[in-house]
Amino acid sequence: MKTRKQQSLKPWLIFGLLAALLIGMFGVDVYLASAAETGKPATETKPTPKAATKPAAHDDEDGEDAHDHDDEDDHGKGEKEHEDGDKHEHGEEEHGHKEDHEEGKITLSNEQLRNTGIQVVKAGPVAIRQTLPLYGVITPSADGIQQVSARFPGIIRQLTRKPGDRVAAGDVLATIESNESLKVYSVTATINGVITDRQGAVGEKTSDAPLFTIANTSTVWVDLTLFPRDIARVKSGQAVRVVQSQRGLSGEGSVIYVGAHANPVNQSTTARASLDNAEGQWFAGHFVNAEITLAETKVAVAVRNEALQTHEGKTVVFVREADGFEPRPIQAGRADSVHTEIVSGLAAGDAYVASNSFILKSDLGKESAEHEH
């Protein structure tokens, strides 16, 4: 049985517990709100502090680990250098050729020679020419121009060819009805060539004017300007080399005529050369450069001028050996616009790069620079 004192304390005990609970909940709310504003978590766990120093045994292990890492780094570096070396070698093979740095030679396959346009020919005897340079213009050959007219006056009944048509001697060009006999006769080409002009129309009367003009351009003339100081040096029969650099054309002809009258304006006269034009590459009216051969000197060994290159301060020719192309130093002698005499360094029969030799020079210089680095 409880005492009166115990019964009187019970309500106050319950009230105190409730008050404590309310105060605790209020404090928790305040703490959570403060944590949300500062971005810190409601609770934090402090890390366990590490020892300031490691035992000696650990130092030994770390040393071994560091040694192992260094070995692995060196091994990886070696592998990378090996891979880079492999890539360098493969890159050279993909490029198409490799240079032997010790011997200074470059190897090229036949396919690579074709793709680069490198031409290999043999050195041999050549006639070095003393020449006179001149300027000129291409003109039609008078022997290759034919004008065709109607033989008898009449009416044009048919025109079978037009300008631009290529014709052969005997081809029918037109038919004419004669005024006297009222018979129809044919007008035919007298030479092979191209029709450059046509006059008249069907139903018209013929006249004294030519009906057709035919030009045979298989041979053209080159009219060269010759000044007084050089007239005595030029004679019929001399060889002429004609060049048109804009189109990359060159050809050989001969002097057929030296004019006897001078132009009063500039005192020049005309030296005319005949030039083969079977392929139709020379156009009348085009300006050209020409060289008249005044004298020739035979030499035992010569190369084309474009074969000469400079390498390490020396004049060289790239010679084809069994194991590649070698830049061989030479001593040059007399020269003209096409060939250069080789006094020493090359023998007759040696195969050398006659065109696009600059490709080998460029590649040799590039490989040498890479080797130095």
Side-chain angles (χ1 to χ4, degrees), residues 62-78:
D62 289 346
E64 291 176 358
D65 292 342
H67 179 71
D68 292 339
H69 286 305
D70 291 340
D71 288 345
E72 290 175 1
D73 291 343
D74 292 340
H75 180 66
K77 183 177 180 181

Side-chain angles (χ1 to χ4, degrees), residues 229-265:
R229 64 178 179 271
D230 296 320
I231 291 177
R233 307 171 70 187
V234 180
K235 300 176 178 60
S236 294
Q238 290 175 324
V240 180
R241 184 172 184 265
V242 181
V243 176
Q244 188 184 49
S245 56
Q246 296 89 339
R247 297 179 58 205
L249 299 178
S250 64
E252 299 286 340
S254 60
V255 176
I256 60 173
Y257 165 80
V258 178
H261 302 281
N263 185 329
V265 176

Side-chain angles (χ1 to χ4, degrees), residues 13 20 121 127 140 150 160 192 215 229 241 246 274 280 306 309 331:
L13 180 60
V121 300
T160 60
N192 300 335
R229 64 178 179 271
R241 184 172 184 265
Q246 296 89 339
S274 179
E306 57 265 38
Q309 297 293 341
Q331 181 182 352

Side-chain angles (χ1 to χ4, degrees), residues 103-268:
E103 298 183 2
K105 294 182 180 179
I106 297 175
T107 59
L108 291 174
S109 67
N110 290 331
E111 182 179 359
Q112 289 158 359
L113 291 175
R114 290 191 298 269
N115 292 338
T116 55
I118 292 176
Q119 184 182 11
V120 180
V121 300
K122 291 184 178 181
V126 167
I128 300 296
R129 302 185 298 182
Q130 178 188 354
T131 61
L132 173 66
L134 299 172
Y135 298 101
V137 62
I138 302 295
T139 62
S141 168
D143 298 334
I145 302 297
Q146 182 70 53
Q147 292 182 328
V148 181
S149 303
R151 288 176 295 167
F152 309 105
I155 305 298
I156 300 174
R157 294 304 181 190
Q158 188 178 20
L159 295 171
T160 60
R161 297 301 178 96
K162 62 184 183 301
D165 288 351
R166 183 170 295 277
V167 297
D171 287 350
V172 176
L173 307 179
T175 56
I176 310 295
E177 181 182 336
S178 173
N179 289 338
E180 294 183 1
S181 64
L182 301 181
K183 292 182 178 180
V184 176
Y185 66 92
S186 297
V187 176
T188 60
T190 54
I191 61 172
N192 300 335
V194 177
I195 297 175
T196 59
D197 186 48
R198 185 182 77 178
Q199 299 295 325
V202 174
E204 291 184 347
K205 293 182 179 181
T206 61
S207 64
D208 294 336
L211 287 176
F212 295 90
T213 300
I214 303 173
N216 185 330
T217 59
S218 59
T219 300
V220 294
W221 288 345
V222 186
D223 284 347
L224 305 170
T225 300
L226 191 62
F227 290 98
R229 64 178 179 271
D230 296 320
I231 291 177
R233 307 171 70 187
V234 180
K235 300 176 178 60
S236 294
Q238 290 175 324
V240 180
R241 184 172 184 265
V242 181
V243 176
Q244 188 184 49
S245 56
Q246 296 89 339
R247 297 179 58 205
L249 299 178
S250 64
E252 299 286 340
S254 60
V255 176
I256 60 173
Y257 165 80
V258 178
H261 302 281
N263 185 329
V265 176
N266 60 9
Q267 297 297 293
S268 68

